[in-house]
Amino acid sequence: MSYRGAYSAEGLTSRPAASGGEVQLNMPSASDFDVDDEVEKLHGKVSMLKQMTGAIHEESGIRGKLIDQLEETMSQAGEALKVAQKEMKKAFKSGSSWHLCVLMMFCLALFLGFYVLYRMGKFIRFFTG
């Protein structure tokens, strides 16, 4: 008992026989199978695949450029960070705590001055107003 091959709507199929190494092919009739029609279908599929590969190539190129730009930006940021760290180290080494104390006292005096002026303005408005 052997299996007989059958054709599909898209072309020929073959199935091996149950016994031995025989292969049976059944060719569809000329009215059911048109070679030119099948070639046109294949040509359409090949064209579609060509367009898809072109789009994939273009997309991968764009993504590659974006990755290159990101790498360049990250390296620039790393360099800027190194420069800022060097400047901070230099500032901490050269600066003393005395400068920081003077700055804090100045800020405190400025705040107290504005506070006193604000309170005096309320005091003056209370008696004039």
Side-chain angles (χ1 to χ4, degrees):
M1 190 154 71
S2 67
Y3 293 104
R4 296 189 323 166
Y7 67 93
S8 66
E10 296 164 356
L12 297 174
T13 61
S14 66
R15 295 186 181 167
S19 62
E22 296 178 14
V23 176
Q24 291 182 351
L25 289 176
N26 286 340
M27 184 85 163
S29 65
S31 63
D32 293 340
F33 186 75
D34 185 18
V35 174
D36 292 334
D37 215 20
E38 294 296 321
V39 169
E40 286 298 319
K41 286 179 187 177
L42 285 175
H43 180 68
K45 289 180 181 181
V46 167
S47 297
M48 183 180 66
L49 284 173
K50 185 178 179 182
Q51 291 174 354
M52 287 175 63
T53 56
I56 289 170
H57 178 71
E58 184 179 331
E59 181 70 23
S60 66
I62 291 170
R63 288 183 187 251
K65 287 177 185 177
L66 286 174
I67 289 172
D68 290 343
Q69 289 175 353
L70 181 63
E71 286 177 350
E72 184 179 331
T73 303
M74 291 299 287
S75 73
Q76 289 174 354
E79 292 296 321
L81 186 60
K82 286 179 185 177
V83 169
Q85 283 178 337
K86 286 180 184 177
E87 293 294 322
M88 290 296 288
K89 284 181 183 178
K90 224 189 277 186
F92 279 124
K93 286 181 182 178
S94 67
S96 66
S97 62
W98 178 249
H99 289 8
L100 190 58
C101 270
V102 170
L103 180 64
M104 291 297 290
M105 291 300 222
F106 174 74
C107 289
L108 184 63
L110 192 64
F111 175 74
L112 287 175
F114 280 124
Y115 180 74
V116 168
L117 287 175
Y118 174 73
R119 293 302 263 170
M120 286 181 67
K122 275 185 146 181
F123 184 72
I124 292 172
R125 274 187 258 137
F126 177 72
F127 285 112
T128 61

